[in-house]
Amino acid sequence: GSSEDEAFRQAAASENTSSHSGEGAAQDMEGGESAGHSHEVVPPSGSTLRFGIFQVVMLGLFMLFVFLLPIWSWLLNDKLGEVGRLCATPASELACGGGVDYGEVAARLGRTGRSGELVGCGCGEGALADWSCPPESGYFSISYFISPAPGTGAMAALSGWPILAQWIHGVGDAELFCKQCSPATATSSRAYAVMWYSQLGFQFFYGLFLINTLCVQPLAHAIVVGTFIVGLIVHFITLAIVMGIGTKAGKLIVSLSAIGIITVLMGYFFPVGSSWFSQHALWLGECIGLSCAFAVMPVLNLLRT
């Protein structure tokens, strides 16, 4: 009897030990699955940081392009001699804003065609639109400078990466995005739908902005520019609300959006005159406004690290 009792106690102890070991293994497995799930949702900090730096670099290249458009125009058209190769409009057929004689400008800059006649860059001619005198409207703009095909292509290429960041960081990765928002925000919510469609609207009309260049389709160009600006404003306002106006991310979005809107409006309504600043005010406002819009996602990505 005693030997049987001892054998029973040993068997029970062995079973109890196996049970605890199984529970521990199950807990370890659950923890591993949880960690794996977390790894799928939130990228490693190193990868996130590298992507954030890449976004900042591409934003910097875009800003160098738009803020130096007059210099690029001078460098490509005059310094490298593209005027004589790409521009064939007689200087007598061109006019500058503010009563400036384009013939005098062409003679001063030595702009001659293959036959020795004075020439200038008409609609769509040149690597970028002419920097030397304002258009007949009296003021420069990003739309004016990028009207030629090389300028439109450069604008599309350099702004493509900042726009891609908007999709990836925001509505492009729903699970990642919703982790940064208030608990009430879900992919089925109206706020998320507004963000998605406003981003889609901006993308669509921004494409039309590049297709309908200023000198070819001026009316259509003005309409699509106004529309994509409205879409972007709606997108960022909704983004700030769902991420929390009082949070660092919300304050950043509101601040950059406000700066962008104010500078564009100031440039648009600034009186046109003969001074360099009055002729370039709209262009400068557009440069600051677009840079603020495209800076939101890179800075948010760096904050998330």
Side-chain angles (χ1 to χ4, degrees), residues 124-155:
E125 294 182 333
L128 292 168
D130 199 349
W131 64 273
S132 61
C133 68
E136 293 185 69
S137 62
Y139 53 82
F140 293 92
S141 66
I142 291 178
S143 298
Y144 164 77
F145 279 116
I146 68 168
S147 290
T152 304
M155 185 71 174

Side-chain angles (χ1 to χ4, degrees), residues 3 35 39 46 60 70-71 119 139 150 152 159 161 200 212 248 250 260 266 287:
S3 60
H39 179 74
I71 296 178
V119 297
Y139 53 82
T152 304
S159 63
W161 289 105
L200 180 64
N212 297 279
K248 286 185 179 180
M266 289 178 62
C287 290

Side-chain angles (χ1 to χ4, degrees), residues 59-70:
L59 173 65
L61 292 177
F62 169 80
M63 293 177 66
L64 283 175
F65 174 68
V66 294
F67 276 98
L68 298 180
L69 276 171

Side-chain angles (χ1 to χ4, degrees), residues 97-214:
V100 178
D101 186 348
Y102 190 85
E104 294 180 1
V105 174
R108 174 168 49 85
L109 296 175
R111 294 180 171 180
T112 56
R114 295 178 180 178
S115 302
E117 75 282 8
L118 294 176
V119 297
C121 299
C123 176
E125 294 182 333
L128 292 168
D130 199 349
W131 64 273
S132 61
C133 68
E136 293 185 69
S137 62
Y139 53 82
F140 293 92
S141 66
I142 291 178
S143 298
Y144 164 77
F145 279 116
I146 68 168
S147 290
T152 304
M155 185 71 174
L158 293 173
S159 63
W161 289 105
I163 294 174
L164 178 63
Q166 292 180 351
W167 283 101
I168 294 176
H169 183 86
V171 294
D173 191 335
E175 191 174 8
L176 175 61
F177 171 74
C178 287
K179 286 179 69 67
Q180 305 171 66
C181 300
S182 62
T185 306
T187 56
S188 60
S189 65
R190 291 183 180 179
Y192 188 82
V194 170
M195 285 192 52
W196 201 95
Y197 285 110
S198 60
Q199 175 68 24
L200 180 64
F202 162 75
Q203 182 80 67
F204 178 75
F205 285 101
Y206 186 83
L208 291 180
F209 149 75
L210 295 173
I211 294 170
N212 297 279
T213 56
L214 179 62

Side-chain angles (χ1 to χ4, degrees), residues 1-7 9:
S2 61
S3 60
E4 291 178 355
D5 291 341
E6 181 65 20
R9 284 194 296 271

Side-chain angles (χ1 to χ4, degrees), residues 43-52 305:
S45 59
S47 174
T48 304
L49 180 60
R50 286 193 297 271
F51 182 60
T305 61

